[in-house]
Amino acid sequence: MEISKASEAVGAVVDNVDVRGLSDDQFAEVRNAFLAHGALFFRDQNLTPDEHIAFARRWGAIDVNRFFKGRKGYPEIAEVLKEPDQQLNIGGGWHTDHSYDAAPAMGSILYALEIPPTGGDTLFAGMAAAYEALDDAMKERIKDLKARHGNAHIFGEESAYRKGFEGRYTNPDQAGQTAVHPIVLTHPDSGVKGLYVNPGFTLEIVDMEPQESSALLQELYAHITQDRFHHRHIWREGDLAMWDNRATWHYALNDYQGHRRYLNRITIEGVPLG
């Protein structure tokens, strides 16, 4: 097994390993790499749904997604699917999974089953690198601030975004959660500081006037969206990617109109952030 950086800011590639047969020592090495790099990319895997689930359970309890359609017979697995005749893709904007929950998901494990001939890459951004690159004045300004996150505007009954997906998102009646988290998050496992706001689900900064809140969030987003904090994963069938939702953003590019893209995702439960 070989582990190498995917970029300076985020991600590592794990080569020459079959995740179905990781020894305890290898798994410990992989876990350390996950905490150090925020995302891992395993090439050439060959997983059945049961094997995907078994690997996920080595990381923790599975968070069954209430808004994605589950794979038939496997409620633990959410389908990330875009058919050739569909225009919108799931995850087509910078976001962090489940930041609207009081205990946001620890990580997501995504397995590629069908990839378009070109396009469909996923961008990742490293929140620790982005935080470290802030100037001292900004670090001081945001050090004690908290932000509110929510999901009704994405998954709720009245969401124009959800309606555009024509049934690919489920259970709109279960949307409406909000949660408050620190803007500067001390990672619960690594102890490293990183930014924890995202354009997809962050609604506002707590106890701040709306105009000031919006301006500060946009300033942080503009900082994080610099290429120097990113890695672009070019998918191949059989790829298994996993990322730490406490330490990364991701963005699924929608540049493969007329082609099918099908992946399976399992989400791992997390802990309350403080």
Side-chain angles (χ1 to χ4, degrees):
M1 184 173 70
E2 300 171 359
I3 301 175
S4 57
K5 284 184 179 181
S7 74
E8 288 301 315
V10 63
V13 178
V14 187
D15 285 317
N16 301 322
V17 70
D18 183 337
V19 300
R20 297 173 298 184
L22 286 171
S23 68
D24 289 344
D25 286 345
Q26 286 176 319
F27 184 78
E29 186 178 353
V30 166
R31 185 179 185 277
N32 288 338
F34 179 72
L35 294 176
H37 300 288
L40 298 177
F41 308 100
F42 304 84
R43 296 285 194 188
D44 303 318
Q45 302 302 304
N46 185 21
L47 302 179
T48 66
D50 286 322
E51 289 165 342
H52 189 181
I53 292 168
F55 177 67
R57 284 181 172 151
R58 294 189 75 173
W59 293 87
I62 292 174
D63 184 339
V64 176
N65 192 293
R66 56 194 181 273
F67 302 123
F68 285 39
K69 285 188 174 180
R71 179 164 174 165
K72 186 176 180 180
Y74 298 95
E76 302 93 338
I77 298 176
E79 293 193 313
V80 179
L81 173 64
K82 182 180 178 225
E83 297 287 8
D85 62 339
Q86 295 172 335
Q87 298 300 306
L88 299 177
N89 73 322
I90 291 172
W94 284 115
H95 65 286
T96 300
D97 295 340
H98 291 245
S99 70
Y100 47 79
D101 285 335
M106 179 277 281
S108 301
I109 305 175
L110 187 63
Y111 181 53
L113 292 163
E114 189 171 342
I115 297 301
T118 60
D121 303 344
T122 301
L123 303 179
F124 293 86
M127 296 300 103
Y131 172 76
E132 282 304 316
L134 292 173
D135 62 36
D136 290 342
M138 179 59 81
K139 288 179 179 177
E140 181 65 23
R141 182 181 180 190
I142 65 175
K143 68 176 184 179
D144 296 320
L145 296 180
K146 295 185 177 183
R148 192 181 321 279
H149 303 245
N151 62 18
H153 62 294
I154 300 295
F155 302 123
E157 292 276 9
E158 302 305 317
S159 167
Y161 177 85
R162 180 189 63 81
K163 292 174 183 177
F165 280 83
E166 300 175 338
R168 279 186 284 164
Y169 287 129
T170 61
N171 301 318
D173 58 308
Q174 295 184 32
Q177 292 80 19
T178 63
V180 173
H181 304 297
I183 288 180
V184 179
L185 176 66
T186 299
H187 194 285
D189 294 322
S190 70
V192 174
K193 289 184 177 181
L195 293 170
Y196 195 72
V197 289
N198 70 91
F201 297 114
T202 303
L203 304 176
E204 62 182 353
I205 299 174
V206 176
D207 296 328
M208 184 175 285
E209 291 297 321
Q211 187 172 356
E212 183 182 2
S213 168
S214 177
L216 179 52
L217 287 172
Q218 291 306 314
E219 186 174 354
L220 292 172
Y221 298 159
H223 173 74
I224 298 167
T225 53
Q226 295 178 80
D227 289 345
R228 61 181 169 140
F229 303 127
H230 300 169
H231 168 66
R232 181 175 185 143
H233 182 66
I234 301 172
W235 289 94
R236 301 195 309 235
E237 290 181 13
D239 281 1
L240 185 72
M242 62 180 301
W243 57 89
D244 187 334
N245 287 307
R246 294 90 45 101
T248 62
W249 285 0
H250 58 283
Y251 181 167
L253 298 179
N254 188 23
D255 55 354
Y256 52 98
Q257 302 299 347
H259 296 284
R260 192 173 197 260
R261 182 178 184 269
Y262 178 47
L263 304 96
N264 282 181
R265 194 184 86 179
I266 299 178
T267 302
I268 308 302
E269 289 183 0
V271 299
L273 304 178

